[in-house]
Amino acid sequence: MVDKTSMAKLNLAMNYPYAKLQDEPLIDTVNRFPDTYEEEMKIWWKKKLV
C-alpha cells in the first residue's frame, strides 16, 4: 500500500517534471520532506500516555 504523501510526490514528479522553485527542481524540494510521520506519531503518543 502506498501512503498519500508518497502518492502526492509521485503525482508531482509525473505531472510537473520540469517545474522549478527558486531555480531548483520542485521534486528536489518536495523530497526533503518525509513520506510519513509514523515514527514521530508513535513517540508523541507514548509521551502522551505517561
Side-chain angles (χ1 to χ4, degrees):
M1 185 174 152
V2 177
D3 65 68
K4 291 179 182 179
T5 306
S6 294
M7 186 60 77
K9 287 182 181 184
L10 178 63
N11 285 337
L12 278 172
M14 297 288 288
N15 292 313
Y16 304 101
Y18 303 109
K20 291 190 174 217
L21 182 63
Q22 296 182 346
D23 294 326
E24 184 177 323
L26 180 60
I27 197 64
D28 290 350
T29 302
V30 171
N31 281 335
R32 289 190 206 131
F33 293 90
D35 288 334
T36 180
Y37 292 95
E38 182 178 356
E39 192 60 38
E40 291 85 349
M41 290 300 292
K42 286 179 183 177
I43 293 168
W44 175 81
W45 188 250
K46 286 178 184 177
K47 286 180 180 178
K48 196 92 163 132
L49 294 175
V50 173

